[in-house]
Amino acid sequence: HTYSILINMRVVIQRVSKASVTVDHNITGSIGQGYVILLGIEKEDTIIDSDWLCKKITALRVFADTDGKMNLSVTDIEGECLIISQFTLHAGTKKGNRPSFIKAARPDQAIPLYEAFVSRMQDALTKPVQTGKFGADMQVSLINDGPVTIIIDSKTRE
């Protein structure tokens, strides 16, 4: 039998008309039209997952063209991105009512992958990527445009 390790970097992408993140009463990131990306990193994730997600996200066609159809990518519209680390995307809720976060990567593994993801997104976009603060208590404010919210999982490649 062949066994494979299930890798599972997970993102929630929200198409926004504007968004910001606040840490300790200070705005650390603010964008206009583009994406808020909530990024959850699991223990088994690698740079391959990060690279695949960046390519997928920047190519997604969810912005309206001149005919009003979702046909343009964030790069086509020269949109912005606000990236927020969110380990709770890997909450396990199978047993009991208190979520388990055992699958979430520890900071020593997650921080380099988070930074690589931010760097890769920055390379792909024409405007600076905005971020929160890894591991901090953050308040995210956004106007979800549409609303359009998409979940992508690097394990299932969808």
Side-chain angles (χ1 to χ4, degrees):
H1 294 280
T2 303
Y3 296 95
S4 62
I5 295 173
L6 300 178
I7 46 182
N8 190 17
M9 193 173 282
R10 186 174 291 163
V11 294
V12 174
I13 303 162
Q14 295 178 299
R15 185 181 74 181
V16 300
S17 53
K18 67 179 180 176
S20 65
V21 60
T22 303
V23 178
D24 294 328
H25 306 289
N26 296 310
I27 294 175
T28 62
S30 180
I31 64 168
Q33 185 180 30
Y35 290 142
V36 168
I37 300 170
L38 307 176
L39 175 66
I41 300 169
E42 195 173 81
K43 288 179 183 179
E44 302 299 330
D45 291 336
T46 68
I47 197 71
I48 294 168
D49 299 289
S50 178
D51 288 348
W52 182 85
L53 280 171
C54 288
K55 287 177 187 173
K56 189 69 167 175
I57 291 167
T58 55
L60 277 178
R61 298 183 322 174
V62 298
F63 293 92
D65 62 15
T66 55
D67 295 326
K69 295 186 184 207
M70 288 198 297
N71 207 24
L72 300 176
S73 70
V74 70
T75 54
D76 292 335
I77 66 156
E78 297 183 359
E80 299 177 275
C81 286
L82 173 61
I83 302 172
I84 307 294
S85 62
Q86 190 166 352
F87 75 94
T88 60
L89 291 178
H90 289 291
T93 59
K94 189 173 185 176
K95 295 189 335 185
N97 294 320
R98 183 172 183 214
S100 167
F101 302 106
I102 196 142
K103 290 184 180 181
R106 305 289 304 157
D108 61 330
Q109 178 194 4
I111 290 171
L113 286 174
Y114 168 78
E115 290 173 348
F117 180 83
V118 169
S119 177
R120 177 70 190 247
M121 289 296 293
Q122 181 61 67
D123 291 345
L125 300 172
T126 59
K127 296 181 180 174
V129 169
Q130 301 292 305
T131 65
K133 182 178 176 188
F134 189 95
D137 181 31
M138 296 175 272
Q139 289 71 50
V140 180
S141 177
L142 60 95
I143 297 176
N144 190 328
D145 182 22
V148 173
T149 302
I150 296 172
I151 299 169
I152 302 176
D153 186 305
S154 68
K155 177 181 66 176
T156 59
R157 297 292 198 241
E158 63 178 8

